[in-house]
Amino acid sequence: MLTLIAAQDRNGAIGRDNTIPWHIPEDFAYFKAQTTGGAVIMGRKTWDSLPKRPLPNRLNIVVSRQPLDLGPEIAVVELDGAISHAESRGYKNIYCIGGEQIYRQMLCRADRILLSTVETEIQDADAFFPEIPSDHWTKGQSKILRHDAPRCSVTEYHRVTADAAP
């Protein structure tokens, strides 16, 4: 199963200057709980922005058109090979963790989205989560991750399958 996992502000912003422009420990803990034991697919800029590399207890896959030497435990592949690389290594839970272009390209391939919303507005944001087309996705359950300001909640979305169509 391919899951896009992201956090956005009220306007869909996910980043500014290759950083996450907020610090929500509850959301980081949720991200860690969801992705640990799975494979994570990310773009090179997301890889560069990680405070700790590689993300522990996960297969780290970096999507890049250019060859990079990131060490033996890090796979560097083109987008089309990312999912098949994770599957060939036996991973059933595969997470796309950004950035914006990778999310846009993976949206049509994803089965599920876990989207946190931080109740704030980031000025000068330069990366955004793609719009979720309502005719392809159904909104599932939501839960609050943080009650204190800025409030943060996560919503799960599932791809509408042909079987579920009216």
Side-chain angles (χ1 to χ4, degrees):
M1 173 183 298
L2 176 62
T3 300
L4 306 186
I5 186 167
Q8 66 178 4
D9 77 354
R10 290 184 192 121
N11 298 318
I14 60 172
R16 179 180 59 211
D17 298 328
N18 206 33
T19 65
I20 298 172
W22 50 75
H23 182 74
I24 309 289
E26 299 87 346
D27 189 55
F28 289 133
Y30 180 80
F31 173 88
K32 181 179 179 181
Q34 288 295 313
T35 62
T36 295
V40 290
I41 298 171
M42 69 197 90
R44 188 205 34 87
K45 287 181 183 178
T46 298
W47 169 261
D48 289 344
S49 74
L50 294 176
K52 182 176 185 176
R53 295 183 295 246
L55 292 174
N57 304 312
R58 287 156 270 210
L59 172 64
N60 287 244
I61 301 171
V62 178
V63 175
S64 177
R65 287 184 221 96
Q66 302 152 352
L68 302 169
D69 184 13
L70 303 178
E73 74 262 14
I74 313 304
V76 179
V77 298
E78 291 192 28
L79 184 67
D80 290 336
I83 297 168
S84 60
H85 178 75
E87 290 172 341
S88 74
R89 299 278 307 270
Y91 288 87
K92 296 192 183 327
N93 294 318
I94 304 168
Y95 298 88
C96 175
I97 66 169
E100 178 179 353
Q101 294 306 315
I102 302 296
Y103 286 133
R104 289 189 188 288
Q105 294 174 46
M106 290 288 209
L107 184 61
C108 64
R109 301 170 186 191
D111 305 295
R112 181 173 73 142
I113 300 170
L114 296 174
L115 187 58
S116 297
T117 300
V118 179
E119 295 300 325
T120 190
E121 294 180 14
I122 302 303
Q123 301 302 313
D124 302 324
D126 56 15
F128 295 85
F129 195 80
E131 185 175 329
I132 301 171
S134 60
D135 57 336
H136 293 227
W137 294 90
T138 181
K139 193 175 190 178
Q141 67 182 53
S142 293
K143 75 176 185 178
I144 296 172
L145 299 177
R146 177 186 177 132
H147 291 278
D148 297 335
R151 184 174 183 227
C152 179
S153 61
V154 64
T155 302
E156 185 171 4
Y157 295 84
H158 296 275
R159 178 171 296 285
V160 175
T161 62
D163 301 354

